[in-house]
């Protein structure tokens, strides 16, 4: 493997891992507050649809980003209404969000654009361009500086979330809600308000992840274009033991495997021969299953995760 290919894989890894990082941080904030979020996939998918639709209609990057974040936040609030306000089953609610998003985005896309559920491509003026386009020629410079703003934002959000969760009063209360909500309530802090705050931040990050798929990675929305990335982010968060930095490394691992898989298609390996395309494409999903099967029992989740809290009167 020559040096240029190595740098190309690194650059591709960062691009592929960006929505995973944003979604993993979103899930981390929600689950640190004690709310299981299986609906990362659905929120990211609906946000991608909103970004593609509003981007085509408005011709504005900012409006498309706000629409994606707004839709994801509304879905997070819907999840909170079912699970936080009415003590519903958090897993069932998350699965419902995934099902609704998969079906409704396709139906609305067919009804509005008549292209099989796909939206028209957004214009180049709406797409998020590289921050330093003049440095994208050399492999080394491209790997480090040839990315758009959302890639760098996702990397900066990792230490920001770490600081917020472990070094602020809000983060201390957030973690306490995920461990012992009754103690937080006894201290005079609203458990419901904290969980809704976590879900709001969760929705904003999922919205950014969905918008990235349309405005930075692809040119238009395609039905089910998230392709399991929400579940990969969930696996990365669990593998990273609900810690932002560890979750980042897990997301980069998924991204690297995906980037390598793309370049292995049609390549003949020594003593193996040409690897089937289907086997190469399945590698990231196989790793997701292996990590969930091997580490979900070893990782220590917040003690109140998945437990509805009803304030005693």
């Amino acid at each position: 493997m020559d040096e240029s290919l190595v740098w190309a894989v690194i650059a591709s890894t960062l691009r592929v891992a960006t929505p995973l990082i944003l979604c993993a941080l979103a899930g981390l904030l929600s689950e640190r507050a004690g709310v299981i979020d299986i609906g990362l996939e659905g929120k990211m998918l609906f946000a991608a649809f909103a970004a593609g639709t509003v981007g085509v209609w408005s011709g504005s990057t900012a409006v498309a980003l706000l629409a994606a974040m707004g839709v994801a936040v509304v879905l997070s609030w819907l999840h909170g209404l079912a699970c936080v306000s009415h003590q519903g089953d958090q897993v069932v609610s998350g699965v419902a969000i995934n099902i609704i998003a998969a079906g409704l985005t396709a139906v609305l896309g067919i009804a509005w654009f008549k292209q099989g559920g796909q939206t028209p491509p957004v214009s180049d003026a709406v797409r998020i361009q590289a921050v330093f386009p003049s440095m994208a020629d050399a492999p080394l410079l491209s790997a480090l500086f040839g990315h758009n703003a959302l890639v760098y934002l996702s990397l900066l959000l990792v230490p920001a979330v770490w600081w917020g969760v472990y070094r602020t009063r809000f983060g201390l209360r957030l973690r306490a809600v995920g461990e012992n909500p009754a103690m937080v309530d006894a201290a005079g802090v609203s458990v419901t308000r904290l969980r809704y705050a976590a879900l709001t931040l969760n929705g904003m990050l999922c919205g950014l992840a969905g918008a990235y798929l349309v405005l930075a990675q692809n040119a238009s929305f395609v039905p089910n274009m998230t392709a399991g990335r929400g579940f990969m982010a969930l696996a990365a968060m669990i593998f990273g033991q609900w810690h932002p930095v560890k979750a980042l490394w897990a997301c980069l691992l998924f991204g690297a495997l995906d980037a390598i898989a793309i370049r292995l298609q049609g390549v003949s390996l020594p003593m193996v021969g040409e690897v089937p395309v289907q086997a190469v494409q399945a590698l990231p999903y196989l790793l997701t299953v292996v990590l969930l099967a091997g580490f979900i029992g070893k990782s220590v989740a917040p003690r109140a995760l998945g437990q509805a809290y009803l304030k005693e009167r």
Side-chain angles (χ1 to χ4, degrees):
M1 183 179 293
D2 58 16
E3 184 178 352
S4 62
L5 183 57
V6 172
W7 289 116
V9 170
I10 292 175
S12 182
T13 296
L14 291 175
R15 288 192 293 268
V16 172
T18 295
L20 301 181
I21 295 170
L22 292 169
C23 257
L25 293 177
L28 184 147
L29 289 170
S30 172
E31 299 206 355
R32 276 292 181 182
V35 182
I36 297 175
D37 194 2
I38 303 293
L40 293 173
E41 177 86 359
K43 283 184 253 188
M44 182 165 49
L45 182 64
F46 225 129
F49 177 75
T53 301
V54 176
V56 169
W57 286 345
S58 69
S60 169
T61 305
V63 174
L65 283 171
L66 289 174
M69 295 170 67
V71 165
V73 168
V74 169
L75 289 174
S76 284
W77 287 347
L78 183 63
H79 185 50
L81 181 66
C83 304
V84 178
S85 299
H86 296 284
Q87 295 81 46
D89 189 290
Q90 297 176 6
V91 174
V92 173
S93 176
V95 172
I97 289 175
N98 291 335
I99 295 172
I100 291 171
L104 194 56
T105 52
V107 170
L108 292 177
I110 292 172
W112 291 345
F113 301 107
K114 307 296 190 295
Q115 296 183 13
Q118 183 174 338
T119 65
V122 296
S123 64
D124 291 338
V126 178
R127 289 177 60 90
I128 302 174
Q129 307 296 336
V131 178
F132 307 105
S134 59
M135 296 185 179
D137 296 331
L140 171 59
L141 295 178
S142 177
L144 299 178
F145 302 106
H147 304 288
N148 60 74
L150 284 181
V151 174
Y152 301 114
L153 177 62
S154 68
L155 296 175
L156 290 174
L157 281 173
V158 173
V161 170
W162 173 85
W163 180 80
V165 170
Y166 292 101
R167 291 292 185 270
T168 65
R169 179 180 297 179
F170 172 77
L172 175 63
R173 291 175 174 176
L174 192 74
R175 287 182 287 127
V177 166
E179 296 292 337
N180 192 341
M183 179 185 67
V184 175
D185 189 30
V189 180
S190 172
V191 173
T192 299
R193 187 177 302 169
L194 277 171
R195 287 186 167 176
Y196 268 103
L199 286 171
T200 301
L201 295 173
N202 167 284
M204 294 172 66
L205 291 172
C206 285
L208 287 176
Y212 175 86
L213 296 178
V214 173
L215 302 181
Q217 199 169 69
N218 300 305
S220 61
F221 172 83
V222 179
N224 295 316
M225 67 183 304
T226 48
R229 288 182 178 89
F231 299 109
M232 289 184 187
L234 189 66
M237 180 196 64
I238 295 172
F239 183 51
Q241 299 177 336
W242 290 268
H243 191 282
V245 178
K246 294 179 181 178
L248 166 66
W249 292 116
C251 291
L252 291 176
L253 174 62
F254 281 119
L257 191 60
D258 203 357
I260 293 171
I262 293 172
R263 283 160 177 77
L264 280 179
Q265 295 182 19
V267 175
S268 182
L269 299 178
M271 302 180 62
V272 177
E274 185 173 334
V275 182
V277 174
Q278 294 81 359
V280 173
Q281 292 175 337
L283 285 177
Y285 304 97
L286 290 174
L287 182 61
T288 302
V289 174
V290 170
L291 290 180
L292 286 176
F295 291 92
I296 195 168
K298 299 178 182 178
S299 299
V300 180
R303 282 184 294 179
L305 181 61
Q307 300 177 12
Y309 179 73
L310 182 61
K311 183 179 178 66
E312 296 182 2
R313 300 186 184 278

